[in-house]
Amino acid sequence: MAYNLWYWPTIQGRGEFVRLAMEAAGIDYVDCARQGGSEALIEDMERRQGRTPFAPPYLAIDSMVIAQVANILLFLTDRHDLAPSGIADRYWLHQIQLTISDVVAEVHNVHHPVAVMDYYDGQKAEAARAATQFRNERLPKFLGWFEECIDASPGEWAIDHRWTPVDTSLFQLVEGLRYMFPKRMAAIEGDYPALIATRDRVAAIPGVRDYLKSERRIPFNTDGIFRHYPELDAA
Amino acid sequence: MAYNLWYWPTIQGRGEFVRLAMEAAGIDYVDCARQGGSEALIEDMERRQGRTPFAPPYLAIDSMVIAQVANILLFLTDRHDLAPSGIADRYWLHQIQLTISDVVAEVHNVHHPVAVMDYYDGQKAEAARAATQFRNERLPKFLGWFEECIDASPGEWAIDHRWTPVDTSLFQLVEGLRYMFPKRMAAIEGDYPALIATRDRVAAIPGVRDYLKSERRIPFNTDGIFRHYPELDAA
């Protein structure tokens, strides 16, 4: 039975980390709001009672509703055997995934530093300040840590000899950062060869390769998490 | 064998969510940096090779290092049977825990909206703007959602008839918000009776009660996540 994935239909956003893992693993899903639109997503959220998600994305399966990207990926990993199951590997993988969530939140904060519910245009000065420190200090710190994680792997993937949702998430992180900060990424990418090699390996996973060529892959745009505002980028 | 917990020794911060769960459950741990100071924590982080944490808090046990609050609590829950183990409950609990992580990150962003690595004094104007929207829009949204979660529980605790690390974390969230936003919390707390009742029940757990009276509980201060700056509060 296919999963019902609910997420905003016009952006990659946080939903993309879920889509990519399912596409890579060949897991059947229906991207519900791509058919019914944002209205259908809002209706679905309002219709639910009891254990409801705080925000999309969420997976609906049987009577369960599973939200929070890292939680969804943990569920899919457990249920579809997408990673080594040893205790040490299990929590190490989730630790990396949660750190990806952290950098994604900081990325969103760059263009919405003082008013997450309002438009970027109303906080451009603050965003410029946030972007400077993100590009110069936070970004190298995060990328350097992911590079060390991959270096510590005994295999060619982030955790061992098979890809996991952490690899597909690192792919998306690199793609998003390249879109948002093309000058900065061009200047520093060379410092993270293992991370970039992981990105390239993920792009060659057959399910991912097919997905990226399909209409299911929504192009990056300035409504998502990663937004290209030229004024926020610099080498 | 006691766990080694590593976290900054002079603040509650993110480490407090881990401390509270262990104190409530009676799990033995050594709060290492309370003895060796911040220098010991920094040395421990630098000494580690391979699978190293991105940031404290982290638990060191056997050869494992487990970081990220929600991941640490998931590990402790699994290992010490701190929650119902059914699949639906398991991911629901983690979903709530990750949403607590999200609100904690937004709380930190209130006093550090544009430069997470710099001092509050250098970003007071931006923080004032961030605080206004947080108090008026984000805070009621998050607290309302936690209230609904508890209302959906068949038992008297957040998820059922026993406390879990989600309950101790909700306690800490309420305590932190009361310290940071006393006027605002006084004005809106009455809207969240189930959440406040959960806070009160956690305070009465014997391990928590003893902990709160002990020197192990570091008082709130303006170096942690929750910071009382009167200029950021309003009813």
Side-chain angles (χ1 to χ4, degrees):
Chain A
M1 199 178 77
Y3 293 100
N4 283 331
L5 171 67
W6 285 98
Y7 193 64
W8 304 110
T10 57
I11 60 171
Q12 292 184 16
R14 287 185 167 84
E16 198 66 11
F17 294 91
V18 180
R19 293 182 183 121
L20 274 166
M22 292 199 288
E23 296 279 354
I27 295 170
D28 275 345
Y29 69 101
V30 179
D31 202 343
C32 301
R34 292 296 297 274
Q35 300 172 359
S38 295
E39 303 75 15
L41 168 58
I42 292 165
E43 275 172 32
D44 188 77
M45 288 191 73
E46 289 177 346
R47 185 171 60 75
R48 296 187 179 277
Q49 300 289 323
R51 295 184 169 186
T52 60
F54 182 78
Y58 57 93
L59 273 192
I61 178 79
D62 304 329
S63 62
M64 282 195 289
V65 176
I66 300 173
Q68 284 278 0
V69 168
N71 192 43
I72 296 170
L73 295 178
L74 185 68
F75 168 80
L76 291 172
T77 296
D78 290 345
R79 188 157 171 147
H80 296 275
D81 187 28
L82 299 184
S85 59
I87 284 185
D89 285 344
R90 177 178 171 75
Y91 297 99
W92 172 240
L93 200 72
H94 199 48
Q95 180 175 327
I96 304 175
Q97 192 70 54
L98 289 171
T99 308
I100 296 171
S101 293
D102 284 349
V103 64
V104 167
E106 289 199 22
V107 163
H108 191 272
N109 192 65
V110 165
H111 49 78
H112 278 77
V114 292
V116 69
M117 315 288 280
D118 299 338
Y119 289 110
Y120 166 66
D121 277 352
Q123 49 196 311
K124 289 175 78 164
E126 294 92 341
R129 202 176 153 192
T132 300
Q133 188 170 83
F134 182 82
R135 284 194 318 266
N136 295 338
E137 298 187 51
R138 301 299 288 171
L139 185 55
K141 183 170 160 71
F142 277 109
L143 297 186
W145 187 76
F146 295 126
E147 182 77 6
E148 285 172 21
C149 291
I150 301 169
D151 282 343
S153 168
E156 70 278 27
W157 295 97
I159 189 161
D160 76 348
H161 298 285
R162 57 192 287 202
W163 72 264
T164 72
V166 156
D167 295 280
T168 53
S169 297
L170 289 173
F171 166 87
Q172 179 64 8
L173 178 64
V174 170
E175 293 299 283
L177 291 169
R178 284 177 172 177
Y179 167 71
M180 185 162 172
F181 301 111
K183 291 179 185 168
R184 182 62 177 154
M185 285 298 281
I188 65 173
E189 262 195 34
D191 295 339
Y192 313 105
L195 177 62
I196 301 303
T198 298
R199 180 257 162 233
D200 294 344
R201 273 191 204 96
V202 170
I205 296 171
V208 173
R209 200 181 51 219
D210 292 349
Y211 172 65
L212 295 176
K213 285 186 292 193
S214 76
E215 289 185 357
R216 299 194 300 287
R217 172 79 164 181
I218 302 162
F220 283 108
N221 59 48
T222 51
D223 294 317
I225 301 277
F226 298 101
R227 302 187 181 190
H228 180 57
Y229 295 126
E231 63 273 22
L232 300 183
D233 188 24
Chain B
M1 199 177 77
Y3 292 100
N4 283 330
L5 171 66
W6 286 98
Y7 192 64
W8 304 111
T10 57
I11 60 171
Q12 292 184 13
R14 287 185 168 84
E16 198 67 10
F17 295 90
V18 180
R19 293 182 183 120
L20 274 167
M22 292 198 288
E23 296 279 355
I27 295 170
D28 275 345
Y29 70 101
V30 179
D31 202 343
C32 301
R34 292 295 296 275
Q35 301 173 358
S38 294
E39 303 74 19
L41 169 58
I42 292 165
E43 274 172 32
D44 188 77
M45 287 193 72
E46 289 177 348
R47 182 172 62 75
R48 295 187 181 278
Q49 300 289 321
R51 294 183 170 187
T52 60
F54 181 77
Y58 57 93
L59 274 192
I61 179 78
D62 304 330
S63 62
M64 282 194 289
V65 176
I66 300 174
Q68 285 279 358
V69 169
N71 192 42
I72 296 169
L73 296 178
L74 185 69
F75 168 80
L76 291 172
T77 296
D78 290 346
R79 187 156 170 149
H80 297 274
D81 187 27
L82 300 183
S85 60
I87 285 184
D89 285 343
R90 177 179 171 73
Y91 297 100
W92 172 239
L93 201 71
H94 199 49
Q95 179 175 329
I96 304 175
Q97 193 69 55
L98 290 172
T99 308
I100 296 170
S101 294
D102 284 348
V103 65
V104 167
E106 290 199 23
V107 162
H108 191 272
N109 192 64
V110 164
H111 50 76
H112 278 78
V114 292
V116 70
M117 315 287 281
D118 299 338
Y119 288 110
Y120 166 66
D121 278 352
Q123 49 196 313
K124 289 175 79 165
E126 294 92 341
R129 203 176 152 193
T132 301
Q133 187 169 84
F134 181 82
R135 284 194 319 267
N136 296 337
E137 297 186 53
R138 301 299 287 173
L139 185 56
K141 184 171 159 70
F142 276 110
L143 297 185
W145 187 77
F146 295 127
E147 182 78 5
E148 285 172 20
C149 291
I150 300 168
D151 282 343
S153 169
E156 70 278 26
W157 296 97
I159 188 159
D160 76 348
H161 298 285
R162 57 192 287 202
W163 72 264
T164 71
V166 156
D167 295 281
T168 53
S169 297
L170 289 173
F171 166 88
Q172 179 64 8
L173 178 64
V174 170
E175 292 299 284
L177 291 169
R178 284 177 171 177
Y179 166 72
M180 185 163 173
F181 301 111
K183 292 179 184 170
R184 182 61 176 155
M185 284 299 280
I188 66 172
E189 262 194 34
D191 296 339
Y192 314 105
L195 177 62
I196 301 304
T198 297
R199 180 257 162 232
D200 293 346
R201 274 192 203 95
V202 170
I205 296 172
V208 173
R209 200 181 52 218
D210 293 348
Y211 172 64
L212 295 176
K213 285 187 292 192
S214 76
E215 290 186 357
R216 299 194 300 287
R217 173 78 164 181
I218 302 162
F220 282 108
N221 60 49
T222 51
D223 294 317
I225 301 278
F226 298 100
R227 302 187 181 191
H228 180 57
Y229 295 125
E231 64 273 22
L232 300 184
D233 188 24

